[in-house]
Amino acid sequence: MTPTSSCGTTLIRVLVLTVFLIVILIPGHVFAQASRGQSRLAPTYLRTEYAVNPLGIDAARPHLSWLILAESRGAMQTAYQIQVASAPGTLSAGEGLIWDTGKVLSDRSVHVAFEGPELASRQRCYWRVRVWDEHDNETDWSEQAFWEMGLLATTDWRAEWISSDTEENAELSQPARMYRREFKLDGPVRSARIYATSLGLYEIELNGEVVGDQVFTPGWTSYNHRLQYQVFDVTNYVIRGENAIGVTVGDGWYRGFLAFRGNRNLYGDYGALLLQLHVTYEDGQEEVVASDESWNTATGPILMSDIYNGETYDARREQPGWSSADFHATDWLGVRIVEHPKDILVASEGPPVRRIEEIKPVEIITTPDGDTVFDFGQNMVGRIRMNIRGPAGTTVTLRHAEVLDKYGNFYTDNLRAAKQTVKYTLRGDGLEVYEPRFTFQGFRFVAVDGWPGDPSLDHLTGVVIHSDMPKTGFFETSDPLLNQLQHNIVWGQKGNFLDVPTDCPQRDERLGWTGDAQVFARTAAFNMDVASFFSKWLKDLAADQDENGSIPWVVPDVLGRGGAAAWADAGVIIPWTMYLVYGDRRMLETQYPSMKAWVEYMRRQAGEDRIWTEDFTFGDWLAYSTNEPGYPGATTGKDFVSTAYFAHSADLLQRAAVVLGKTEDAAMYAGLVEEIKAAFNLEFVTRTARVSENTQTAYTLALAFDLLPDSLRRMAADRLAADIRGRDNHLTTGFVGTPDLCHTLSRFNHLDVAYDLLYQDTYPSWLYPVKRGATTIWERWDGIKPDSTFQDAGMNSFNHYAYGAIGDWMYRVVAGIEIDPENPGYKHVLIQPRPGKDLSYVRSSIESMYGTIASYWELAAGRFKLTVRIPPNTSATVRLPGAVLEEVLESGISVGSAPGIRSSRQVRGAVVVESGSGHYVFTYPTDQAREGGAE
Ligand code: BGC
């Protein structure tokens, strides 16, 4: 058995390794219950608003969460105490507290809202927690953590928006603007912070050094309603005496090319900067340096930067030392103050975008057309860093592509108008290292032109960039093709979670398509911690929602169109999903008005008969279509899809209303759901469970959304299974039907069919692209057709996560890690693996809010072995497929008498075990585990 490698931050990695060493290597039952006295629990990994020690938050009542380490089985928190102070020293002395909960009898260890006095702008709070275990023994205090507030009021912004005064042709990409100012600090500095944002993308330098490691700041939001600012701790960048600050601002999403067809300047046609530096001297005095008319501006080496098109950089135009105090800013111009609202400024919420990893090229190819092409072996998103030497004035061009065509030539037609081209002109003074700043590319292949001499593998490095979401999921099986599929799903996520969830990262699109995000959100939440990523995006969704409740096709909305079923439903489905995964009720509270407005919009559109027709919708986007005579393709009627989603969202809304205690709404929407279901069955379903249009998607939606009466479900599921069997185990579903297809089969007694679909490797299937060498998920089942030609270049991305939604089924059914909706956030864990096909083992784990949950199973020599790990302060129901109660051992002893096991019982062909936290190893003889335990 290997340790889980599924954690993001170093801290979590250390924690997991410790738990692994303690729990996996030592049989569970050797741990006696903790004796009375000092508890063996330990609260650790303190997080505020999903982050460790965040700077600059604006939540009025920040949520505090901690993780509990414990060696013993059945470890529970029965009480906690939180203390908060505004100075570090006072906390450890237990003095000067601004909030002390005292001992609170509660097993709550996640999302405890701060309820101390109102927090002020820039206030820093230190906090610690201790807990009591199931024997009322108390732990030591945790290590101290902190959070720091941002600028909470518009009036806190003393800075002015500044821009350049130069005439620009707004139709074209503009050179990046540099802004600078010198300032003097008169004494030793205790702390210094920069609060900054821009219209366009920015990068700050202080005294010659780039500040922080975030890229693509200020991120992408619904800029007209919500513009994020960032906070940087620059205490170590400033010095007593003369200092200088320099900021470069590029076009970015704000005014660069965006939303295809040559559109640009979607938010505005000039760039601008808003920045203030707060310095606190050792003696407590404060000083503020802010953007105002005293700043200067110039252009420099970045002649062009654009999200889609790349960057053009002339190193001869660099101005060495421009962000240092001894620079002579001769020729620099003054700035102008521009009017731009400040009441739209919000603290950054999602995980910062960073350079996450590096990839070295594996091969240099000369194509039949004569191009010199670097192959990075992985379709990735980010950019190239190059090391180069050569004569001044030499220009090197890098073009980026996802694939080579069937002849082995560099293929860029599927990028449409996006140029993805980087041009670098050398200074010519030795080794030059260059990486573009305000652009990203989606690519596996890089064509190099104009390189001085022969380029070699160590000249280029692929820098992978995405939102820095801690990795939370691990999934590995005995089948290498499934492992590659999982790899491709994860890389689809890496490539498309760059501050917003995008459809694709390479062509002239890269937009926050709501439908794609909706189908992939749950899978995403297995692989990485996406809580704050989606919480931020959902606020943009609500901000861009029309007054009539319609939700845009893309968020941030740059298309001005909305109201499409299955796409707009992201506004209901994603908050509900995040609530389930993270147990964060606030996510529902915040989004509730938006969720409700969308359902009400559908109610109006559908009208009294509850069948939603007429409005534009994408339907089962990219479903199987064919020119075969006799088969019309798998088109599912749009009114069918729309009405099914209407019912589904109304159902989720009523569940949200129940959670939030909105009893009237809950009753009203429960009634609405029944009305829609009745109308749906009347309109689309026959007495023998024939669902209109007879497509796999139609059956899947009807079953997955519980739209059919009980009496028809089995029959409908059989029809679905028969359709798949009749197509030689192939799916025909598009974006809408695919995510729930295998779930529906395994839920309704056709686990074998679901596995046959998963294992299918001819087109259309998940493994077909894998067999064709894919390293990410493709937009279309046949992006590269069986004859090696490409699908229509107008829409053929090789990095589109939507079909990666099968990952959800792999974690929840193949590995069997499931949520109990009554106890969300994995407070009560369900472990219910369902082995199938000829898999001999699966190892999977996730990092939940409570800690590591693992399900490792293996089948060998007629014995099934399931190793599970349940985090402290949770409980679990473990379902052992194909087991007979008397034969089940846990760590070598009869399951009924194993410590930590609360009960075990035979339920048809499975044994169901209730347990507390801990590490358990179940073994039993079976031949039946594979097909065991259909619902
Ligand atoms: C995008 C999608 C999106 C679709 C909507 C495409 O251009 O790439 O993934 O959902 O349009 O029709």
Side-chain angles (χ1 to χ4, degrees):
M1 186 176 293
T2 53
T4 174
S5 59
S6 54
C7 323
T9 63
T10 315
L11 177 57
I12 264 266
R13 225 173 258 141
V14 172
L15 282 178
V16 168
L17 194 62
T18 317
V19 173
F20 170 75
L21 292 171
I22 295 171
V23 176
I24 297 285
L25 299 182
I26 306 171
H29 64 269
V30 303
F31 291 111
Q33 296 289 327
S35 54
R36 278 196 82 80
Q38 184 60 39
S39 170
R40 295 174 74 170
L41 308 193
T44 184
Y45 192 47
L46 275 57
R47 291 193 291 167
T48 308
E49 296 290 300
Y50 294 105
V52 176
N53 299 338
L55 277 192
I57 61 172
D58 61 5
R61 300 203 295 131
H63 276 193
L64 309 178
S65 305
W66 54 94
L67 208 120
I68 295 169
L69 289 184
E71 297 171 3
S72 55
R73 288 183 173 182
M76 285 297 290
Q77 168 190 302
T78 54
Y80 67 81
Q81 180 177 13
I82 298 171
Q83 290 185 335
V84 182
S86 28
T90 58
L91 187 61
S92 45
E95 290 162 6
L97 302 177
I98 59 167
W99 191 50
D100 185 350
T101 63
K103 182 176 177 181
V104 179
L105 297 181
S106 165
D107 65 352
R108 195 173 177 116
S109 55
V110 301
H111 310 302
V112 177
F114 170 78
E115 283 179 12
E118 193 176 328
L119 296 163
S121 286
R122 304 197 294 119
Q123 182 174 353
R124 182 183 272 225
C125 295
Y126 297 86
W127 69 285
R128 62 179 184 171
V129 61
R130 63 176 166 179
V131 305
W132 282 259
D133 70 11
E134 65 279 13
H135 306 294
D136 204 30
N137 296 321
E138 76 190 40
T139 63
D140 288 338
W141 285 103
S142 67
E143 297 281 313
Q144 162 181 299
F146 68 83
W147 78 83
E148 193 173 292
M149 302 305 287
L151 299 182
L152 304 179
T154 308
T155 47
D156 292 328
W157 286 94
R158 290 203 235 156
E160 306 271 15
W161 282 104
I162 57 172
S163 183
S164 90
D165 220 356
T166 340
E167 270 301 301
E168 289 176 339
N169 179 353
E171 297 307 306
L172 303 175
S173 290
Q174 292 303 313
R177 276 264 141 213
M178 296 144 78
Y179 298 89
R180 82 182 296 278
R181 195 207 132 141
E182 292 175 16
F183 58 96
K184 191 165 173 210
L185 298 178
D186 290 330
V189 172
R190 186 198 299 159
S191 75
R193 298 280 182 275
I194 285 178
Y195 302 82
T197 188
S198 60
L199 307 182
L201 298 170
Y202 74 88
E203 180 185 83
I204 305 175
E205 295 180 26
L206 238 176
N207 296 329
E209 235 188 292
V210 173
V211 169
D213 57 2
Q214 299 190 32
V215 292
F216 292 96
T217 47
W220 188 15
T221 47
S222 166
Y223 285 143
N224 297 330
H225 303 105
R226 291 168 22 89
L227 174 59
Q228 299 189 132
Y229 64 89
Q230 283 72 40
V231 183
F232 303 92
D233 180 349
V234 291
T235 313
N236 295 328
Y237 291 76
V238 291
I239 50 168
R240 181 180 187 161
E242 300 296 337
N243 293 264
I245 187 164
V247 185
T248 311
V249 179
D251 290 353
W253 293 287
Y254 189 85
R255 67 164 180 161
F257 286 96
L258 193 62
F260 30 76
R261 284 188 283 274
N263 282 319
R264 58 178 288 114
N265 303 313
L266 292 185
Y267 294 97
D269 59 8
Y270 60 84
L273 169 71
L274 182 76
L275 177 147
Q276 67 194 42
L277 164 69
H278 281 252
V279 175
T280 309
Y281 291 107
E282 284 295 358
D283 63 4
Q285 298 281 327
E286 297 210 352
E287 175 143 358
V288 175
V289 177
S291 52
D292 60 18
E293 66 281 332
S294 69
W295 288 54
N296 290 109
T297 182
T299 57
I302 301 180
L303 300 177
M304 178 286 269
S305 66
D306 188 76
I307 299 281
Y308 294 159
N309 293 328
E311 198 160 292
T312 302
Y313 189 98
D314 187 342
R316 295 169 303 179
R317 294 175 48 100
E318 286 171 351
Q319 304 206 31
W322 72 281
S323 63
S324 301
D326 49 9
F327 179 75
H328 299 293
T330 37
D331 302 337
W332 284 54
L333 304 171
V335 296
R336 73 187 160 110
I337 307 285
V338 291
E339 283 308 315
H340 194 81
K342 292 181 190 158
D343 57 1
I344 55 168
L345 297 173
V346 292
S348 299
E349 183 176 356
V353 179
R354 295 198 170 98
R355 299 172 180 89
I356 305 290
E357 60 193 290
E358 296 192 347
I359 296 190
K360 292 305 293 179
V362 291
E363 199 186 351
I364 300 176
I365 308 162
T366 303
T367 66
D369 282 351
D371 285 322
T372 302
V373 173
F374 282 63
D375 177 3
F376 284 78
Q378 172 63 51
N379 195 10
M380 57 160 279
V381 175
R383 50 210 185 195
I384 293 296
R385 189 179 66 234
M386 60 166 104
N387 301 323
I388 189 166
R389 285 172 200 274
T394 312
T395 298
V396 174
T397 304
L398 306 183
R399 292 176 298 131
H400 303 72
E402 292 187 290
V403 285
L404 303 180
D405 70 13
K406 67 176 184 175
Y407 308 106
N409 284 320
F410 197 70
Y411 180 80
T412 54
D413 292 358
N414 69 326
L415 306 177
R416 302 193 308 217
K419 294 198 181 66
Q420 290 214 126
T421 298
V422 168
K423 286 182 196 278
Y424 179 78
T425 302
L426 280 80
R427 289 189 302 270
D429 57 359
L431 178 65
E432 299 177 41
V433 179
Y434 165 71
E435 176 193 326
R437 240 168 290 180
F438 301 126
T439 183
F440 61 87
Q441 283 75 47
F443 64 98
R444 169 174 164 175
F445 299 96
V446 177
V448 177
D449 287 312
W451 194 273
D454 286 332
S456 68
L457 288 174
D458 52 342
H459 284 134
L460 302 193
T461 303
V463 181
V464 177
I465 295 175
H466 54 85
S467 290
D468 195 358
M469 304 160 286
K471 184 180 171 197
T472 51
F474 175 77
F475 182 89
E476 186 195 284
T477 73
S478 51
D479 189 292
L481 291 178
L482 292 189
N483 295 344
Q484 183 66 38
L485 175 62
Q486 167 65 12
H487 169 101
N488 295 0
I489 295 169
V490 170
W491 277 89
Q493 184 164 352
K494 290 181 184 186
N496 284 293
F497 277 57
L498 200 156
D499 210 45
V500 300
T502 54
D503 59 333
C504 61
Q506 73 298 78
R507 67 183 180 221
D508 57 342
E509 190 150 358
R510 312 182 189 195
L511 303 178
W513 281 97
T514 45
D516 307 42
Q518 180 267 105
V519 299
F520 189 66
R522 182 87 181 250
T523 305
F526 276 108
N527 293 325
M528 300 178 202
D529 177 352
V530 293
S532 59
F533 179 87
F534 274 119
S535 168
K536 168 225 173 215
W537 185 74
L538 286 168
K539 287 177 186 149
D540 291 306
L541 180 146
D544 278 342
Q545 190 166 8
D546 197 274
E547 269 173 24
N548 68 10
S550 169
I551 290 173
W553 293 352
V554 298
V555 172
D557 182 16
V558 285
L559 299 181
R561 298 283 308 271
W567 267 247
D569 293 280
V572 174
I573 294 169
I574 299 180
W576 179 254
T577 304
M578 294 301 120
Y579 164 73
L580 287 182
V581 175
Y582 301 103
D584 187 351
R585 197 172 175 273
R586 190 181 48 174
M587 209 91 89
L588 290 182
E589 257 161 32
T590 310
Q591 295 304 126
Y592 192 79
S594 153
M595 297 164 76
K596 185 168 169 172
W598 168 242
V599 171
E600 288 301 326
Y601 173 86
M602 290 193 280
R603 189 210 290 265
R604 284 195 305 278
Q605 298 304 105
E608 284 310 306
D609 69 2
R610 306 294 186 228
I611 301 294
W612 185 9
T613 52
E614 288 175 25
D615 289 286
F616 174 80
T617 166
F618 299 100
D620 190 20
W621 189 246
L622 299 184
Y624 183 69
S625 62
T626 167
N627 298 327
E628 278 169 38
Y631 182 60
T635 307
T636 307
K638 294 187 175 178
D639 45 355
F640 181 99
V641 171
S642 301
T643 307
Y645 264 92
F646 175 26
H648 184 49
S649 279
D651 183 33
L652 296 183
L653 180 64
Q654 71 88 15
R655 292 189 218 190
V658 171
V659 171
L660 298 176
K662 297 179 185 290
T663 24
E664 273 180 31
D665 275 13
M668 191 237 308
Y669 288 113
L672 178 62
V673 173
E674 288 315 311
E675 287 172 29
I676 307 168
K677 279 190 197 176
F680 179 90
N681 279 280
L682 206 60
E683 183 86 7
F684 300 117
V685 187
T686 72
R687 280 175 301 128
T688 55
R690 230 179 267 281
V691 171
S692 82
E693 284 149 74
N694 221 18
T695 60
Q696 293 174 14
T697 292
Y699 286 103
T700 299
L701 295 189
L703 286 162
F705 296 167
D706 289 326
L707 304 180
L708 302 182
D710 285 353
S711 56
L712 296 187
R713 288 178 176 191
R714 193 58 180 260
M715 257 190 287
D718 291 348
R719 289 186 188 282
L720 171 62
D723 188 276
I724 294 163
R725 290 283 188 233
R727 296 182 200 293
D728 198 16
N729 297 328
H730 285 94
L731 48 72
T732 60
T733 49
F735 275 30
V736 166
T738 304
D740 284 313
L741 180 60
C742 283
H743 277 299
T744 304
L745 290 164
S746 55
R747 179 176 160 201
F748 294 103
N749 222 28
H750 293 290
L751 181 68
D752 53 340
V753 183
Y755 266 106
D756 284 337
L757 279 183
L758 180 67
Y759 267 77
Q760 180 58 262
D761 61 10
T762 58
Y763 163 77
S765 68
W766 285 284
L767 293 187
Y768 168 71
V770 170
K771 280 250 167 149
R772 301 287 320 210
T775 57
T776 37
I777 299 292
W778 297 350
E779 176 173 26
R780 316 181 76 127
W781 296 119
D782 58 348
I784 299 174
K785 296 186 197 170
D787 68 1
S788 297
T789 58
F790 291 122
Q791 252 286 2
D792 182 357
M795 230 184 59
N796 197 20
S797 142
F798 292 97
N799 198 353
H800 235 72
Y801 53 54
Y803 287 143
I806 185 64
D808 178 52
W809 189 76
M810 288 157 47
Y811 278 102
R812 286 166 68 190
V813 178
V814 177
I817 301 177
E818 182 56 291
I819 291 168
D820 170 3
E822 298 303 316
N823 293 281
Y826 299 98
K827 179 75 172 124
H828 179 73
V829 184
L830 307 179
I831 301 285
Q832 42 195 37
R834 299 188 62 190
K837 213 67 185 170
D838 48 9
L839 277 178
S840 62
Y841 74 82
V842 171
R843 295 174 185 153
S844 182
S845 65
I846 59 161
E847 300 309 315
S848 72
M849 291 296 292
Y850 296 93
T852 309
I853 300 168
S855 168
Y856 288 12
W857 62 256
E858 54 188 89
L859 252 175
R863 285 190 79 76
F864 188 73
K865 177 174 172 192
L866 175 66
T867 305
V868 304
R869 194 187 311 156
I870 307 301
N873 205 26
T874 70
S875 57
T877 303
V878 181
R879 191 172 173 287
L880 304 168
V884 174
L885 186 54
E886 295 69 36
E887 295 174 345
V888 178
L889 302 179
E890 191 289 304
S891 297
I893 55 176
S894 165
V895 68
S897 38
I901 302 293
R902 295 174 184 164
S903 73
S904 50
R905 60 189 198 282
Q906 187 80 45
V907 181
R908 296 193 297 275
V911 166
V912 175
V913 174
E914 303 294 336
S915 82
S917 71
H919 162 247
Y920 301 87
V921 184
F922 301 98
T923 50
Y924 52 93
T926 184
D927 296 327
Q928 307 136 28
R930 294 192 184 291
E931 299 303 329
E935 272 181 33

